[in-house]
Amino acid sequence: MKTLSKTEQRERRHRRVRAKVVGTESRPRLSIYKSNTRFMAQLIDDSKGTVIAFASSIEEKGKTPRERAEKAAATLAKRAIEKGVKSVVFDRGGFQYLGTVKAFADSARAAGLEF
């Protein structure tokens, strides 16, 4: 039996999540990606295959990756509400729901997104 690398394990979890999570025009998919230094999130309408809004921790100021992710969540929520999106489906991208991912989700909820 072959052992999978960390990346392959995450991709396998992501495929499993994506089999159940689909974004629509009324409720787009909030997809995230996290690296060691960056945190990126986008709202995707899967029926059309378009990105509605995008935010990244690269644009934000903060001391820790968690602070930058929280500010990126607020920015994304603001951009989404401007485009008329209030309710989303959360796609954690195969990442565990803790640490930076949880902080991002909580901040997005606090900024006005519902999921």
Side-chain angles (χ1 to χ4, degrees), residues 102-115:
K102 185 176 187 304
F104 176 86
D106 291 341
S107 181
R109 284 187 190 105
L113 287 181
E114 297 172 4
F115 57 95

Side-chain angles (χ1 to χ4, degrees), residues 14-22 89:
H14 191 198
R15 282 194 301 269
R16 200 166 45 235
V17 169
R18 281 288 291 124
K20 300 170 189 167
V21 176
V22 178
V89 179

